[in-house]
Amino acid sequence: MDEGPLFNRIAVVGVGLIGGSLGLACKRVNACREVVGVSRPQTLSEAVRIGAIDSGVDYPDIADGIAGADAVFLCTPISRILSLIEEVIPHAGAGTLVSDVGSTKAQIVAKAGQIGRADVHFIGGHPMAGSEKSGVTASDPFLFQNAIYVLTPAPGVSESVQERFIAFVRRIGAQPVVMPPETHDRVAAAISHLPQMIATALVGMVGHLDEGDGRFLRLAAGGFRDLTRIASSPYDMWRDICATNGPVLREMIDRYVRCLQELQERIGEDALGEDFGYANRVRGSIPKDSKGFLHALHEILVVAEDRPGVIADIAGALAGEGINLNDIEVLKVREGEGGTLRLGFDTRQAAERAIEILSRKGYSVRWR
Ligand code: NAP
């Protein structure tokens, strides 16, 4: 397989968490020869220092930044991506691939279509990987590893341009999924935007109940904390998501309210058991890896005591035998008692070997 660079020069506009990670990932896997950043000067110096970009220019010089780039990635908040499209597409060289990483797609792809340059190819993108941190200092060369990367080509983008982008996405370790932008926004509204609203509403409701009482939050551990983890998300990114996917999100909230009302009506009836049964089956069929990748990992569960170094002990034992651990998640922790770790492996053989190795070391291990 040819592992030479897929692009000569890429430009990353907005070198934050996603833009910086894109630069680092490109360098790690030799996806391009050169990465040029467009950002504020202090961001650029930090990005050069950590190796996310080779050089950079401030926003007023954006035309210089994208000159000679064969691919331009717009990695700012969505509201800024919308205005950048107007600045970038007219200045891009003929044949340039322009993409973005915004969490909604329909308005962005429509905007690119309005500029109407047939010799500049726009393919919207949404790498479904992130972190609670932001800014270039949080960049991670492995952020896209095994993540779904949705591609939403503008009408008329040729197969060969799409193939090149798909090869790039695979090269940085992600799993490309091509779909129309409207489909992306509908799916994202159901599986990401609605859950954010539910978490925000639920924590808000319990917060109000707790005021002047204190017992609600005191008891809110375990399931409540798991279900509402995303209620800690900063509003900045969500403002843009709500502004650009409002109608679909409202529709999903309506559907959800109807579902809750139906459950409410069935409380105390056996029919409620059917709802639980259906939800159990659907939940069981969701791909189990943490980044939502398509291929199922082979997973095992390890019961580990709560002591310093236990994860290092497990990972070290596997590494010592040349077993590559693809995913790790702490499922349950009881302070002082230990918890359960989920380990994911690419192949069944690797998982079987891991069971052998860890059992020999005295861990309680089973298939998930
Ligand atoms: P981030 O870490 O805050 O980075 C965004 C960068 O954009 C900043 O470092 C900033 O660099 C630049 N920028 C330009 N105009 C800006 C403005 N008006 N406000 C704030 N920053 C501005 O954010 P991110 O997490 O990388 O997100 C970037 C894009 O990726 C968003 O469109 C988001 O929807 C999408 N996305 C995020 C995630 C996630 O989980 N974080 C996942 C997938 C997609 P300068 O200060 O140098 O201008």
Side-chain angles (χ1 to χ4, degrees), residues 13-37:
V13 185
V15 193
L17 168 72
I18 302 288
S21 300
L22 201 58
L24 287 174
C26 285
K27 298 293 190 66
R28 187 176 71 78
V29 297
N30 191 29
C32 64
R33 287 200 172 79
E34 187 187 355
V35 182
V36 178

Side-chain angles (χ1 to χ4, degrees), residues 72-94:
V72 180
F73 290 88
L74 309 178
C75 302
T76 59
I78 300 170
S79 48
R80 183 75 181 108
I81 290 172
L82 288 166
S83 59
L84 277 168
I85 283 174
E86 292 177 4
E87 294 171 48
V88 166
I89 294 185
H91 288 106

Side-chain angles (χ1 to χ4, degrees), residues 121-145:
H121 317 293
F122 189 86
I123 300 183
H126 181 195
M128 299 186 73
S131 150
E132 68 290 351
K133 302 192 194 113
S134 63
V136 68
T137 47
S139 302
D140 171 3
F142 294 97
L143 188 72
F144 307 109
Q145 194 80 31

Side-chain angles (χ1 to χ4, degrees), residues 262-274:
E262 283 165 21
L263 290 188
Q264 186 186 42
E265 283 160 19
R266 281 180 217 153
I267 289 173
E269 291 174 14
D270 284 346
L272 190 62
E274 287 165 31

